[in-house]
Amino acid sequence: MRIAPPIVVAVWLALALAFGSALVAQLWTLAFLGFLSLSLSILPFAFARWYDLELPSSFLIAITLFIYATIFLGDAFDFYNRYWWWDIPLHGLSAVGFGLIGFLIAFMLFEGDRHAVPPIVISLIAFNFALTIGVLWEIFEYAMDRVFGLNMQQEGLIDTMEDLIIDCVGASIGSAAGFFYLKGQEFGGLACTIDDFVQLNRRLYRKFKRLHDDRR
């Protein structure tokens, strides 16, 4: 993906405008959250260019909207307190996404060879990757609350444990999608997302063959 999708550009512009307006109004917390959200949402795009990766537009859109909803809307506009359920879908969907990313990274290590290791092994690597990201995010929330006086953890330990449970469920779904992909089976449309990335980056999966090719 060499050009950012229009919805991603729109979010970038909104965050940049919020950051600039907050600086003028001397709303330092809002300015910081706007800058942080903008920086993190640009990072995947820059990372892809740096490592010459082609990211499906669905990846970039999902990552950008997640950061916007989590950091900017969640904290700057207090959505976590306004809507008790706000954190639940964000953690669940992000864990699914990181499960898919973990699978793609693990599958990349074996150059797309379906037979290098049993599918369950790659799925477990993906699950552990997604769950590790979830744990690191909880550490990030704790640090933000302690250093900047935010309220990302809300109820402290209870919020953290609920988030980690949701992360486990989401990571299981993402890694299961990878497992079924290796088996040549669909899993709620997620296999298409995996295949899009693999096809766009075939040089990283040079041993990849579709399942029906192996059966010839």
Side-chain angles (χ1 to χ4, degrees), residues 11-12 14-16 18-19 29-44 63-77 137 140 144 152:
V11 172
W12 288 349
L15 290 172
F19 171 65
T29 299
L30 179 60
F32 170 74
L33 291 174
F35 176 77
L36 179 64
S37 300
L38 179 61
S39 301
L40 291 177
S41 62
I42 292 175
L43 191 60
I63 293 171
T64 301
L65 292 179
F66 170 75
I67 293 172
Y68 182 74
T70 302
I71 298 177
F72 195 68
L73 294 181
D75 285 302
F77 290 92
W137 180 262
F140 170 76
M144 295 295 288
M152 298 184 73

Side-chain angles (χ1 to χ4, degrees), residues 180-200:
F180 286 107
Y181 176 74
L182 293 178
K183 292 289 187 179
Q185 301 174 25
E186 184 54 77
F187 189 79
L190 295 177
C192 292
T193 302
I194 294 174
D195 198 54
D196 285 346
F197 184 89
V198 172
Q199 295 305 320
L200 287 172

Side-chain angles (χ1 to χ4, degrees), residues 7 33 45 62-63 91-92 98 105 108 137 150 172 177 196 200:
I7 188 172
L33 291 174
F45 193 81
I63 293 171
H91 269 280
F98 282 118
I105 293 174
M108 188 188 304
W137 180 262
L150 301 180
S172 297
D196 285 346
L200 287 172

Side-chain angles (χ1 to χ4, degrees), residues 84-209:
W84 64 267
W85 47 266
W86 188 254
D87 205 31
I88 297 175
L90 292 177
H91 269 280
L93 293 175
S94 66
V96 172
F98 282 118
L100 296 176
I101 293 172
F103 170 80
L104 289 169
I105 293 174
F107 198 35
M108 188 188 304
L109 295 177
F110 298 102
E111 299 180 302
D113 187 351
R114 291 177 178 272
H115 308 296
V117 292
I120 189 64
V121 173
I122 298 182
S123 296
L124 286 174
I125 294 174
F127 175 83
N128 289 328
F129 174 84
L131 197 55
T132 298
I133 296 297
V135 171
L136 291 176
W137 180 262
E138 293 304 316
I139 295 174
F140 170 76
E141 286 188 344
Y142 173 78
M144 295 295 288
D145 289 352
R146 296 287 292 180
V147 176
F148 297 103
L150 301 180
N151 188 33
M152 298 184 73
Q153 286 191 303
Q154 301 177 66
E155 299 180 36
L157 179 60
I158 295 177
D159 177 76
T160 298
M161 293 309 300
E162 289 178 348
D163 288 347
L164 289 177
I165 291 171
I166 296 171
D167 288 341
C168 283
V169 175
S172 297
I173 294 174
S175 58
F179 175 84
F180 286 107
Y181 176 74
L182 293 178
K183 292 289 187 179
Q185 301 174 25
E186 184 54 77
F187 189 79
L190 295 177
C192 292
T193 302
I194 294 174
D195 198 54
D196 285 346
F197 184 89
V198 172
Q199 295 305 320
L200 287 172
N201 299 276
R202 285 300 296 267
R203 64 184 177 81
L204 302 175
Y205 302 92
R206 63 185 184 86
K207 295 182 181 179
F208 174 78
K209 292 183 179 180

